[in-house]
Amino acid sequence: MICMSEINSQAKISLGNTIRGLRKAKGYSQESFAEACGMHRTYMGIIERGEANVTLANILGIGKVLGISLTCKSLLRMLGITLQHIPSILL
């Protein structure tokens, strides 16, 4: 059985990897990306390594800088959560 802390850890790592990949695809250095998001470079590194519990406000700010619209479905995908297990009313 998977415990909640393991799920949380996996989600943070998946989110961090996704943010890193999107940042690199847009040509941002970690430092310039963090600055554009209004964050410190070291905090962005913590996010990208999956070590931070990122607030929704920070996730939305990151999405804005990346030029992507963050819906509930896209956030779940970024976290590596399969949509088939989520009731459609929540999406």
Side-chain angles (χ1 to χ4, degrees), residues 39-69:
M39 299 176 198
H40 195 275
R41 178 192 55 79
T42 56
Y43 182 60
M44 187 59 67
I46 291 168
I47 292 172
E48 290 186 358
R49 289 191 304 275
E51 298 171 355
N53 286 316
V54 187
T55 65
L56 181 57
N58 282 339
I59 291 171
L60 293 173
I62 289 168
K64 184 175 181 178
V65 172
L66 291 171
I68 58 174
S69 173

Side-chain angles (χ1 to χ4, degrees), residues 10-88:
Q10 291 171 356
K12 290 189 299 187
I13 290 168
S14 179
L15 179 64
N17 287 337
T18 300
I19 290 170
R20 180 184 299 117
L22 293 170
R23 169 183 63 77
K24 287 182 175 183
K26 293 280 186 177
Y28 281 103
S29 69
Q30 190 179 72
E31 186 171 3
S32 66
F33 183 64
E35 183 177 325
C37 293
M39 299 176 198
H40 195 275
R41 178 192 55 79
T42 56
Y43 182 60
M44 187 59 67
I46 291 168
I47 292 172
E48 290 186 358
R49 289 191 304 275
E51 298 171 355
N53 286 316
V54 187
T55 65
L56 181 57
N58 282 339
I59 291 171
L60 293 173
I62 289 168
K64 184 175 181 178
V65 172
L66 291 171
I68 58 174
S69 173
L70 295 175
T71 64
C72 186
K73 286 182 182 181
S74 65
L75 285 173
L76 291 172
R77 283 190 201 106
M78 287 175 73
L79 295 172
I81 298 171
T82 58
L83 298 178
Q84 67 191 25
H85 297 102
I86 307 298
S88 60

